[in-house]
Amino acid sequence: MSTPTTPVRTSTFAMTINGRSVTSETTSPVFNPATTEVIAEVPIATPTDLDAAVDAARDAFVTWSATPLEERQALVAAIGDRLEAHAEQFLALLTAEQGKPRPMAEWEVYGSITWFREIAKQSLPEEVLEDTSERRVISRYTPLGVVGAIVPWNFPILLAVWKIAPALVAGNTIIVKPSPFTPLCDLKLVELVQDLLPPGVLSAVSGDDELGKWITAHPGIDKIAFTGSTETGKHVMRSAAETLKRVTLELGGNDPAIVLPDVDPAKVAPQVFWAAFQNNAQFCNAAKRVYIHDDVYDAVRDELVAYARTVVVGNGADPDTQLGPIQNLPQLQKVQEYFDDCAEHGYTFALGGKIDRSASGWFVPVTLVDNPPEDSRLVTEEPFGPILPLLRWSDEADVIARANDTVWGLGATVWGNDLDAVERIGRQLESGTVWLNEVHQYSPHQVFGGHKQSGLGAENSLHGLAEYTNHQTITLNKVPNAVS
Ligand code: NAD
């Protein structure tokens, strides 16, 4: 998307380039999705701004990559401490720009603090593969150089942190580009920690999607760490190929949830509900198709409807709110298409089904669609909003095939009391993460990534850290006459 531009206004949000605050001639508005009010203006970077950030990052790389690992780790942990000291400010700002209610904002902000601290404990030690009187062979990891981090709008802080922390620990410098819809927390975070780091080690630039394209094409950037849609991920990969940049792509998903016949419908319903609707279903790992066994289909559907009726949708700043608005207007329009498609095809709404566009914010009612066809848009695509298809199954092999019949492979869940069956089914699902009788459990030490078109590479764990490094083999022939 391209964001509209307006003449510069007084703004407390600036980019950070080479350790300094940088504004721009034109700015772009940021909205509170619960009220649709403009809450800030942010700079729109020019190609010259990006060049300056890259030059500074390349200069800083020389000393940062040579800084002892322990020192880099300590500074990354210190960024976590700094964020914790300002947590209240970030919680409020995150709710204002993203729309998520306080508990979800806490999950994201305190999760980010944990990530800084835990990733700071990670390292990739050298391995001595051979060490004799004649020869030594070492395998080690060296930093890549400058990382361009491109971030989406659903978890603007956490998904930036998943890139900043490992990039810095591994010895790279990094330039963060937030989503134009949610740039405020990322700009503030980068600004807030500048005194902890040498200039140029961590920069932030804001702008529209054009800026993302310049980053992926820039010859001075060595790696792109991208989280966003599969469609954009393909553009990123194409553009990065020109300079053979390394890429980590964390992309879209269409996670199946499989509910077995032995569940207690009243107990499973709230869990499946939150698997699907957490963060107002603007979640790469939201359960986006729920396959419920025929024996319990009606009961689970009815319990889901009953539970959903108790959930409060509203302004995230209101303490009673459990689900906020859709984050931006283009996304609301996209979600509207799924409502229209279901209505046009005459699918049955078990709950919801109509968006009130006269509402003061970009709100969408929780909507459950009762057994739409397997080839409907709602089942085969990623709506990224609170409209969920419930589907019947009766044959285990068939439901596994249907769950896997998608280009995506990000996450999946299985719910049931027969743990053998739960695990047997789970192990046959083609996705990067399979949660059994739980969901959305992440850890800095647990590898995360998509199968198929849900991504390339991984974040978190030592596998994720290794994605910010080159492999290097060093061999030494110790026999003195070898070179004389
Ligand atoms: P998006 O792809 O529209 O945008 C993501 C980022 O890419 C933004 O910063 C955007 O400005 C930038 N961008 C857009 N076009 C670009 C281009 N041509 N080149 C470079 N950068 C460009 O995604 P979104 O709407 O912000 O986020 C929602 C999507 O992200 C969903 O598909 C969701 O599943 C996915 N997602 C994936 C994960 C994961 O970890 N796998 C996590 C969160 C979200």
Side-chain angles (χ1 to χ4, degrees):
M1 52 77 57
S2 289
T3 42
T5 60
T6 53
V8 72
R9 287 210 250 163
T10 311
S11 165
T12 54
F13 293 90
M15 303 187 286
T16 302
I17 297 174
N18 202 16
R20 286 191 293 271
S21 284
V22 174
T23 53
S24 64
E25 292 205 345
T26 53
T27 60
S28 154
V30 179
F31 297 89
N32 178 335
T35 62
T36 73
E37 286 164 3
V38 174
I39 52 171
E41 295 280 341
V42 294
I44 300 181
T46 61
T48 310
D49 293 323
L50 179 61
D51 286 345
V54 173
D55 287 348
R58 294 211 78 77
D59 287 350
F61 177 70
V62 177
T63 41
W64 182 250
S65 58
T67 301
L69 171 70
E70 297 70 26
E71 223 174 286
R72 294 199 306 259
Q73 289 172 320
L75 288 171
V76 168
I79 297 176
D81 296 345
R82 182 68 61 81
L83 176 56
E84 186 175 46
H86 292 79
E88 279 302 326
Q89 179 193 348
F90 280 93
L91 289 167
L93 193 57
L94 182 57
T95 294
E97 72 169 331
Q98 208 287 333
K100 62 186 69 189
R102 170 97 187 188
M104 205 58 202
E106 285 177 352
W107 188 84
E108 179 163 356
V109 171
Y110 287 101
S112 299
I113 294 163
T114 301
W115 248 259
F116 277 124
R117 290 177 175 157
E118 290 301 309
I119 299 286
K121 295 175 186 163
Q122 294 181 344
S123 63
L124 294 163
E126 288 187 4
E127 255 185 279
V128 180
L129 302 177
E130 183 184 330
D131 197 9
T132 63
S133 53
E134 288 89 38
R135 207 162 169 259
R136 186 146 51 97
V137 179
I138 288 172
S139 172
R140 66 175 198 142
Y141 300 87
T142 62
L144 295 168
V146 178
V147 175
I150 301 179
V151 182
W153 49 257
N154 60 343
F155 292 94
I157 309 182
L158 188 67
L159 296 176
V161 173
W162 284 19
K163 297 163 182 53
I164 296 169
L168 296 185
V169 166
N172 303 276
T173 56
I174 182 164
I175 300 166
V176 178
K177 188 204 89 63
S179 165
F181 296 112
T182 53
L184 304 183
C185 287
D186 286 344
L187 291 178
K188 275 288 167 213
L189 175 64
V190 171
E191 182 183 85
L192 181 69
V193 300
Q194 282 306 305
D195 63 309
L196 297 172
L197 300 165
V201 168
L202 171 61
S203 296
V205 287
S206 52
D208 58 21
D209 295 345
E210 287 304 304
L211 176 59
K213 292 181 193 165
W214 301 334
I215 290 173
T216 59
H218 202 293
I221 293 178
D222 302 284
K223 180 200 167 88
I224 301 295
F226 174 83
T227 302
S229 64
T230 295
E231 195 189 335
T232 310
K234 290 178 185 176
H235 289 298
V236 168
M237 195 166 167
R238 264 185 227 113
S239 175
E242 279 301 312
T243 45
L244 274 183
K245 287 181 178 55
R246 278 59 183 148
V247 291
T248 299
L249 303 175
E250 296 288 0
L251 309 179
N254 192 0
D255 294 10
I258 299 177
V259 179
L260 303 194
D262 63 354
V263 295
D264 175 338
K267 284 195 178 140
V268 84
Q271 299 182 70
V272 169
F273 178 87
W274 289 110
F277 290 98
Q278 195 60 269
N279 212 43
N280 207 18
Q282 301 166 117
F283 203 152
C284 54
N285 270 135
K288 294 186 178 116
R289 305 170 278 157
V290 181
Y291 293 96
I292 305 167
H293 193 276
D294 241 342
D295 291 355
V296 287
Y297 181 90
D298 289 353
V300 172
R301 178 200 56 208
D302 294 348
E303 290 290 348
L304 275 168
V305 169
Y307 183 78
R309 286 190 200 283
T310 70
V311 172
V312 180
V313 179
N315 187 331
D318 182 337
D320 295 334
T321 296
Q322 291 169 283
L323 291 178
I326 293 293
Q327 197 281 324
N328 59 73
L329 188 55
Q331 184 59 29
L332 177 66
Q333 285 157 346
K334 189 180 155 202
V335 172
Q336 175 82 61
E337 281 181 30
Y338 293 94
F339 279 74
D340 294 346
D341 187 68
C342 289
E344 279 160 23
H345 285 89
Y347 305 150
T348 306
F349 292 105
L351 182 71
K354 204 158 173 41
I355 301 177
D356 175 8
R357 293 295 290 271
S358 68
S360 57
W362 294 319
F363 291 104
V364 170
V366 169
T367 293
L368 299 168
V369 183
D370 193 352
N371 207 29
E374 195 74 16
D375 63 355
S376 57
R377 285 190 62 188
L378 184 63
V379 177
T380 58
E381 299 178 11
E382 187 192 32
F384 223 59
I387 176 167
L388 179 72
L390 309 180
L391 302 149
R392 288 179 185 272
W393 72 275
S394 52
D395 177 76
E396 187 175 307
D398 178 60
V399 76
I400 292 167
R402 288 160 69 193
N404 287 335
D405 185 18
T406 167
V407 296
W408 285 293
L410 193 58
T413 56
V414 186
W415 306 86
N417 283 308
D418 177 349
L419 297 187
D420 290 338
V422 166
E423 191 168 346
R424 180 177 67 239
I425 294 170
R427 283 177 177 274
Q428 294 175 73
L429 299 177
E430 297 165 353
S431 62
T433 305
V434 178
W435 286 289
L436 305 177
N437 288 331
E438 61 178 17
V439 70
H440 302 158
Q441 299 297 318
Y442 304 90
S443 156
H445 306 297
Q446 193 175 297
V447 71
F448 178 76
H451 292 188
K452 303 195 269 187
Q453 293 188 30
S454 284
L456 200 67
E459 291 192 305
N460 306 330
S461 79
L462 295 185
H463 298 287
L465 187 62
E467 299 229 351
Y468 290 91
T469 64
N470 292 301
H471 300 272
Q472 187 178 57
T473 301
I474 298 182
T475 77
L476 172 66
N477 185 344
K478 299 181 186 173
V479 180
N481 64 4
V483 286
S484 60

